Amino acid sequence: MIAVDSFSRHYERCLEGIYDCTDRIVINAYFALGQSPGGFRTWWRRLMGNDDNLDNTHLMRFAGHFSRRVHAWAKKEGIPIVACQRGERKHELANQHIPEPIRPGVFCILVGRAPAPVLEVRGTHIQKKAPHPYVNHYYFHIMDPDWGHVTIRFCPHPPFNAQVILNGHEYVAIEATRQNIDFSKEANCFTHVSDAAGLARIADTMIRSSADVGRLVQACERWIYSTCLCFALDLAEQQRTGFRYSYSAYQAEYSRNLLFERGCVLDQVFNSVIDRTRAPLEIRTVKTIFGRKYRPYYKDAKGKGPRIEVTVERPVYNLTVFKVHFGRLTVKIYSKGERVLRIEAIAHNARDLRCGVVIDRLPRIIESLKAIVERFMSALNGVDVSFIDAGAVETWHLPSTVGTSRIGGIDINQRRMRAVMEAVIALSINPRGFGTSDLAAKVREIIPDVDYQPRQASYDLKKLSGKGLVCPIDRSRRYEPTSQGLRSMVALVTLRDRVLLPLLANAGKRKTRPELPNRSQIDTHYDNIQIEMQKIFECLHVAA
């Protein structure tokens, strides 16, 4: 096991293994020619011979024909078609219909309403209805030999847009079975692994090159034409009109999974990390779903090794999640199963990663999500385990040089500069870094009575940059704290707010107070320190 980030290295002694995995992948499938009015008219002429019957009535007929054909085929094959209500989790509903034994092919079709870009004809013009109307979508749930449970969401209205939904953990589980790696899997999480390094190797090589993307595209094309599109256009019509799908990445998730040796250690580590980091990082919401029992103390209570097993996730153990949203990017950390801590980055729309969305760019999308996970974990570790160098702090007040400019030093006794440091700490988990406007807005939240503007934030950032506390990202106008700088700023803020001020506030005569029934360990330490501080003041002849 090789810990690849500072957070994992800090808790490496408690870990059994580490593996990274691409989780949910959502791929848009679209007919490129049919996305423009002129291209759609060209395709219609290929299909019908001319465009004399290109009207709304004929367009709507496709959805009706599709529905009747799907229902007739499903009835013949004995495949259930289930109408979904609003708010139902379709994947969980489909899991109830997985056949035993599992065999490749469609095992369930769900029908649900969702908005879609439906075309309409107005005179000689073809345009999309605005707003997009709600129409029936068909969710084909398929068992694929390489990717396991695959879902294709299909719109029966021309030009027949679709989405293919896959999960990387399904792929890794199938490959691990082929390579005789024993594991126990709960939903989309490996809870026990006999060869963590081998599993990590499979997950790491899942989507790294164009060849890997080619395997993914093959899985999409294995089903989308013969299982979904065939109910709207038969194979002859597909060939005659040249109907071929193009693919682009829409959503992606990437996770780093830490397998702890003991479940109770996971609870202690995660709860303490949440307690120490949520205030500096301004995590406003922490959600806990309470389970039915405590995590076991021993590595394996039954004395048995891991086995190839997949179970449905239930809230057996407490599940605590805290997440941070940055537009359509989300970073979250939560516990799964008995002994797994997962740190996950989610791109709800891959365009926000700014590295392209065509399917060939999927490896770059995954690399971007991996970088977000590592940046988040580094920031988490910097806040969790802070450290301050007394020698460095003594030089903070001295001037420094940034480029050819001479910049003033950092006065930690200044209220504004302390607020800037707190703002930098809170913004450290932003996957894109932060700009002067972001910093100015955060400082105004901390000290609302001060009119703090971006030009002042720019000057203060230069001060922090001159001391190596922050640095620009790839020569852009956005910044991120350095690992050492983040740890130093957190230590300074913690020492001042959690140690010095409470001690000085209670440095006088200690007030007797009733013994609290649930005293924490830190309360006991504060009382002991206050007693010793009074003795030190007496020896130094300091009036307290």
Side-chain angles (χ1 to χ4, degrees):
M1 180 184 66
I2 301 177
V4 293
D5 60 84
S6 55
F7 184 87
S8 302
R9 284 195 294 270
H10 182 72
Y11 293 105
E12 188 172 14
R13 65 187 184 280
C14 307
L15 301 179
E16 182 184 82
I18 303 172
Y19 74 90
D20 289 10
C21 189
T22 304
D23 291 334
R24 192 169 184 257
I25 305 172
V26 180
I27 298 173
N28 281 337
Y30 58 95
F31 178 46
L33 185 64
Q35 302 306 308
S36 63
F40 184 81
R41 188 180 294 274
T42 300
W43 172 79
W44 188 271
R45 289 171 179 171
R46 292 177 185 174
L47 179 65
M48 300 296 183
N50 55 60
D51 56 2
D52 295 341
N53 59 351
L54 180 54
D55 52 41
N56 293 329
T57 301
H58 284 82
L59 288 176
M60 294 297 294
R61 286 178 181 174
F62 277 95
H65 293 162
F66 183 92
S67 177
R68 288 190 292 272
R69 292 167 183 169
V70 168
H71 279 80
W73 175 80
K75 182 178 180 180
K76 178 182 177 181
E77 299 294 330
I79 296 173
I81 296 182
V82 182
C84 298
Q85 302 300 321
R86 182 178 180 180
E88 284 188 302
R89 298 183 66 88
K90 297 177 178 61
H91 201 79
E92 295 178 359
L93 184 60
N95 285 338
Q96 302 173 12
H97 298 277
I98 296 178
E100 289 292 343
I102 297 175
R103 61 181 184 276
V106 179
F107 64 87
C108 178
I109 301 174
L110 305 182
V111 184
R113 295 184 66 80
V118 177
L119 298 178
E120 65 175 350
V121 180
R122 291 188 176 182
T124 59
H125 298 285
I126 303 173
Q127 62 186 26
K128 296 177 181 178
K129 292 183 179 180
H132 293 170
Y134 277 76
V135 299
N136 282 342
H137 285 70
Y138 291 79
Y139 298 78
F140 293 82
H141 290 266
I142 304 164
M143 276 298 170
D144 184 80
D146 295 328
W147 287 86
H149 189 171
V150 176
T151 304
I152 299 180
R153 170 182 164 176
F154 191 88
C155 177
H157 294 263
F160 312 116
N161 295 331
Q163 284 186 337
V164 185
I165 306 170
L166 312 97
N167 194 292
H169 276 85
E170 298 272 346
Y171 175 87
V172 174
I174 292 173
E175 286 297 317
T177 303
R178 291 172 179 171
Q179 298 185 22
N180 297 322
I181 298 177
D182 292 337
F183 63 86
S184 179
K185 183 171 175 285
E186 181 177 318
N188 66 332
C189 178
F190 296 96
T191 55
H192 297 273
V193 181
S194 62
D195 182 6
L199 188 77
R201 186 167 53 252
I202 295 173
D204 188 49
T205 57
M206 181 172 55
I207 300 177
R208 295 188 61 183
S209 64
S210 58
D212 302 323
V213 174
R215 289 201 306 268
L216 181 62
V217 172
Q218 288 176 3
C220 297
E221 300 201 333
R222 187 180 301 143
W223 303 105
I224 195 168
Y225 295 109
S226 60
T227 303
C228 305
L229 183 62
C230 63
F231 297 112
L233 301 172
D234 59 35
L235 296 179
E237 290 173 331
Q238 296 176 29
Q239 294 175 0
R240 185 173 74 251
T241 60
F243 195 104
R244 300 296 298 177
Y245 278 110
S246 300
Y247 302 95
S248 65
Y250 177 59
Q251 293 179 359
E253 300 177 4
Y254 187 88
S255 66
R256 177 157 296 168
N257 301 268
L258 310 183
L259 280 69
F260 280 75
E261 293 182 348
R262 298 176 179 177
C264 64
V265 176
L266 165 62
D267 265 349
Q268 294 172 1
V269 169
F270 188 33
N271 290 333
S272 61
V273 167
I274 290 176
D275 291 339
R276 289 192 294 268
T277 62
R278 66 175 300 184
L281 297 179
E282 294 192 356
I283 308 298
R284 293 180 171 84
T285 304
V286 176
K287 178 181 179 181
T288 301
I289 303 173
F290 294 100
R292 300 192 300 270
K293 59 183 179 180
Y294 294 106
R295 299 178 194 272
Y297 180 81
Y298 294 103
K299 181 177 178 180
D300 191 351
K302 297 183 179 180
K304 297 180 180 179
R307 62 188 184 280
I308 298 176
E309 180 184 357
V310 179
T311 59
V312 179
E313 182 179 4
R314 297 182 179 88
V316 176
Y317 310 105
N318 290 358
L319 173 64
T320 303
V321 182
F322 78 79
K323 61 177 66 175
V324 188
H325 298 282
F326 304 96
R328 292 182 292 187
L329 299 177
T330 299
V331 183
K332 63 180 180 179
I333 177 171
Y334 57 101
S335 56
K336 280 189 73 75
E338 181 182 315
R339 302 182 294 114
V340 180
L341 181 63
R342 173 172 290 181
I343 300 90
E344 189 172 69
I346 305 169
H348 300 284
N349 192 318
R351 292 184 184 277
D352 287 8
L353 295 175
R354 300 177 183 177
C355 53
V357 296
V358 295
I359 196 64
D360 292 339
R361 297 296 183 92
L362 187 57
R364 292 186 60 183
I365 292 173
I366 300 303
E367 285 297 322
S368 298
L369 291 175
K370 180 181 179 181
I372 291 174
V373 168
E374 292 182 346
R375 179 177 297 174
F376 176 72
M377 296 185 71
S378 297
L380 201 64
N381 185 67
V383 177
D384 180 35
V385 186
S386 57
F387 170 80
I388 190 165
D389 183 358
V393 174
E394 290 179 355
T395 62
W396 278 5
H397 69 284
L398 300 177
S400 58
T401 302
V402 177
T404 58
S405 303
R406 184 177 174 85
I407 304 297
I410 298 174
D411 184 3
I412 59 178
N413 295 316
Q414 189 181 22
R415 180 190 179 196
R416 167 178 142 179
M417 186 52 64
R418 291 197 304 270
V420 169
M421 288 186 178
E422 293 178 17
V424 169
I425 295 169
L427 295 170
S428 64
I429 53 178
N430 194 320
R432 292 184 185 168
F434 55 89
T436 54
S437 298
D438 302 324
L439 182 63
K442 184 62 68 174
V443 171
R444 288 196 296 270
E445 289 181 14
I446 298 173
I447 45 176
D449 58 324
V450 175
D451 185 20
Y452 190 79
Q453 298 299 321
R455 59 182 179 80
Q456 296 166 305
S458 177
Y459 183 70
D460 288 339
L461 280 174
K462 285 185 179 180
K463 288 183 178 181
L464 298 179
S465 179
K467 300 301 179 181
L469 302 180
V470 300
C471 62
I473 300 176
D474 297 330
R475 299 181 180 179
S476 67
R477 294 184 179 181
R478 301 188 69 82
Y479 293 81
E480 64 178 352
T482 62
S483 58
Q484 184 59 43
L486 181 62
R487 296 175 68 186
S488 298
M489 288 186 288
V490 172
L492 179 66
V493 172
T494 303
L495 286 173
R496 183 183 183 277
D497 296 343
R498 302 288 297 276
V499 179
L500 295 179
L501 292 183
L503 288 178
L504 292 176
N506 295 280
K509 186 177 180 180
R510 296 180 67 246
K511 298 179 181 179
T512 58
R513 54 187 177 184
E515 190 74 17
L516 297 177
N518 296 318
R519 285 174 57 83
S520 65
Q521 189 177 10
I522 195 169
D523 291 330
T524 304
H525 290 320
Y526 269 130
D527 285 343
N528 294 335
I529 292 175
Q530 288 169 13
I531 294 172
E532 295 300 324
M533 286 290 291
Q534 289 181 11
K535 296 179 180 179
I536 292 175
F537 288 154
E538 291 175 2
C539 294
L540 297 176
H541 298 282
V542 175

